[in-house]
Amino acid sequence: MKKTIQSIIAGLAMGAFLLTNAGAAQAAQPFIWDKVDQVQKSGDLTYYPVRSVLELAGIQVKWVADETRTKLVLSTGDQSYQLIVNPESKTLSSGDRVFGYDNINGSLMVPLHFLMDVIDQAAVSVNRQSGAIAITPSSENGQVGLRSLEVYVPEPKPVEPMVEAPKTSYYESGQATWYGAALHGNYTASGERFNMYDLTAAHKTLPFGTRVKVTNLNNGTAVVVRITDRGPFAPGRVIDLSMAAAQQLGMISSGVAPVNLEIIG
């Protein structure tokens, strides 16, 4: 009977030992980052790809570029932290902490001490010969945390004020014509050379440089042209357009189209 009790006690002790060691082994199971071909050396520092290393340990990494400042946001569990990216100085700042980084082949690389400084609830060690990194969680659930970083606070870009559409005022209506290759390269009345591929036009009286919105009344299309020349002088014709402007109005084949003219500025 005595031996039976001793055997039971020994069995329980052995079971407890095995359970304790199994838990310890689970807690100590490291994340091994061994993509050593990605390791880069610069002077006395060894750089590692921040996304590749941290995401192996379950830390999400994302760029946030649509805010006032460009940020690197690191998330673990239900908490997110921010590092401000300063491309000019090649630094990452979070509160009063500043870390150097390098951008190699489009990948953001950080020195080993960055990983050791910010990774929490885990031990970070490196194989000095191969460059491989081991991140060993200290908690049984294997979750790796972060420390010494600012909590992420979204900073939406300021809303840019809406730019009002240029005001127009009705000027006149009539027939529009166009001119092109025959006069391409010739000097206009303003002294500019005529370029049939520019959005320009001739008008009898409007000052040179005036911007005019021309609307084709046949199809509703419109184009804005700049007055650089004088004409047309035929009765009923109010504006003579460059070939490029006529193309936008869809009047190349007809040669003539009824239009409205509005002065923009």
Side-chain angles (χ1 to χ4, degrees):
M1 181 68 177
K2 184 177 180 180
K3 288 185 178 180
T4 302
I5 294 174
Q6 288 177 338
S7 298
I8 292 173
I9 293 173
L12 291 172
M14 179 60 72
F17 174 79
L18 291 174
L19 286 172
T20 300
N21 280 275
Q26 182 181 9
Q29 187 66 35
F31 300 102
I32 305 296
W33 184 88
D34 57 1
K35 300 177 182 178
V36 294
D37 58 317
Q38 298 179 17
V39 174
Q40 300 286 337
K41 290 187 177 293
S42 179
D44 296 332
L45 296 177
T46 302
Y47 286 84
Y48 294 84
V50 64
R51 181 186 295 275
S52 177
V53 175
L54 293 183
E55 288 189 344
L56 174 71
I59 298 172
Q60 296 180 351
V61 180
K62 72 173 182 177
W63 282 93
V64 176
D66 58 350
E67 298 185 3
T68 306
R69 300 174 291 180
T70 301
K71 299 176 181 180
L72 190 67
V73 177
L74 312 181
S75 302
T76 177
D78 58 356
Q79 190 61 274
S80 295
Y81 304 88
Q82 65 184 24
L83 290 141
I84 310 303
V85 181
N86 306 293
E88 295 80 9
S89 59
K90 284 192 175 182
T91 57
L92 303 171
S93 57
S94 187
D96 59 355
R97 305 296 303 277
V98 179
F99 306 94
Y101 77 88
D102 206 348
N103 193 325
I104 301 174
N105 297 326
S107 179
L108 193 147
M109 311 284 285
V110 293
L112 179 63
H113 68 79
F114 169 87
L115 301 171
M116 292 183 165
D117 285 350
V118 304
I119 290 178
D120 196 20
Q121 300 171 18
V124 180
S125 58
V126 62
N127 185 312
R128 296 292 179 181
Q129 291 184 335
S130 67
I133 290 177
I135 301 173
T136 307
S138 56
S139 60
E140 292 186 6
N141 63 12
Q143 183 170 327
V144 175
L146 293 166
R147 64 188 175 205
S148 305
L149 297 176
E150 278 186 326
V151 172
Y152 170 55
V153 178
E155 297 176 341
K157 283 186 177 179
V159 177
E160 296 183 1
M162 294 183 64
V163 178
E164 291 186 7
K167 294 180 179 179
T168 62
S169 59
Y170 172 76
Y171 188 68
E172 63 182 327
S173 299
Q175 297 291 316
T177 52
W178 67 273
Y179 60 120
L183 297 175
H184 183 71
N186 289 1
Y187 286 101
T188 63
S190 67
E192 293 185 31
R193 285 185 180 274
F194 172 63
N195 185 337
M196 64 181 180
Y197 302 108
D198 290 340
L199 297 177
T200 58
H203 190 273
K204 290 188 284 290
T205 58
L206 286 174
F208 295 133
T210 302
R211 295 170 64 237
V212 179
K213 179 181 178 182
V214 184
T215 303
N216 185 341
L217 300 180
N218 284 335
N219 56 23
T221 58
V223 66
V224 175
V225 297
R226 184 170 54 89
I227 302 301
T228 60
D229 205 356
R230 290 291 177 233
F233 299 104
R237 308 286 173 86
V238 295
I239 196 166
D240 208 2
L241 302 166
S242 66
M243 184 186 73
Q247 284 178 329
Q248 291 203 19
L249 293 179
M251 53 170 288
I252 290 291
S253 58
S254 63
V256 181
V259 296
N260 272 350
L261 304 186
E262 297 170 275
I263 297 176
I264 292 179

